[in-house]
Amino acid sequence: MNQPSRSKARSAARLAAVQALYQQHMEGTALTRLLDEFHQHRLGRTIDDDDFDDAEYADAEVPFFDDIVRGVDARRDEIDTLLTDKLASGWTIARLDKTMLQVLRAGTYELIARNDVPSAVTINEYVEVAKAFFDDGQAKFVNGILDAVAKGARAS
């Protein structure tokens, strides 16, 4: 896979991972069922909806998607502790928007577990994911939190 295609496939995997983690958080979907649903019906599939004119989900790097979703699921307590330590005084994980929480969890997982991806790339990618759901203010929040996590987790 050439670099631009791999980069796009990883970006799509990150966005899909945040969506999957949100679904798991809101519905309590079992991990195996969740991954299967995304593999079978979402990753690279056509969106069958009149509002989207049969648009397609972007092709995602499936092993990368799986690693993020499985990794967040397995290390959720560790990740949430790291995030809690970086939040402003008086803020808790429970106060965060549920989508924002998944963006931060996925980004934190990647920062602590995927040393093959430079910190700056990870942070930038999750800032872009945040922009898919939020305005620039929240995207800057993601940047600040993940930058703080990166400084504690590894050298940038």
Side-chain angles (χ1 to χ4, degrees), residues 14-147:
R14 288 177 177 102
L15 179 60
V18 167
Q19 293 169 327
L21 292 166
Y22 177 84
Q23 180 177 327
Q24 183 185 43
H25 183 88
M26 297 305 289
E27 298 176 4
T29 309
L31 184 62
T32 304
R33 183 170 166 234
L34 180 72
L35 292 173
D36 184 58
E37 179 181 326
F38 271 75
H39 294 170
Q40 299 300 319
H41 304 290
R42 300 208 188 166
L43 302 177
R45 301 294 188 251
T46 299
I47 301 170
D48 188 23
D49 188 319
D50 293 336
D51 293 335
F52 293 100
D53 294 326
D54 291 331
E56 291 186 7
Y57 286 101
D59 282 330
E61 186 176 316
V62 175
F64 193 71
F65 164 83
D66 288 352
D67 181 60
I68 295 168
V69 175
R70 287 180 191 279
V72 170
D73 186 69
R75 298 177 74 174
R76 184 170 283 113
D77 290 342
E78 174 189 2
I79 290 166
D80 286 356
T81 298
L82 286 169
L83 289 173
T84 299
D85 291 346
K86 304 307 179 203
L87 293 174
S89 179
W91 273 83
T92 63
I93 293 290
R95 282 187 67 187
L96 293 174
D97 174 270
K98 303 306 181 224
T99 304
M100 175 63 72
L101 177 56
Q102 305 322 312
V103 171
L104 293 172
R105 281 176 170 162
T108 298
Y109 169 74
E110 203 170 319
L111 288 167
I112 64 175
R114 297 296 306 232
N115 290 326
D116 59 315
V117 181
S119 295
V121 170
T122 298
I123 294 167
N124 184 60
E125 286 286 322
Y126 285 100
V127 166
E128 292 302 314
V129 169
K131 288 178 181 178
F133 300 103
F134 304 105
D135 65 24
D136 285 343
Q138 282 94 346
K140 288 177 182 176
F141 175 76
V142 168
N143 185 59
I145 296 292
L146 292 182
D147 184 57

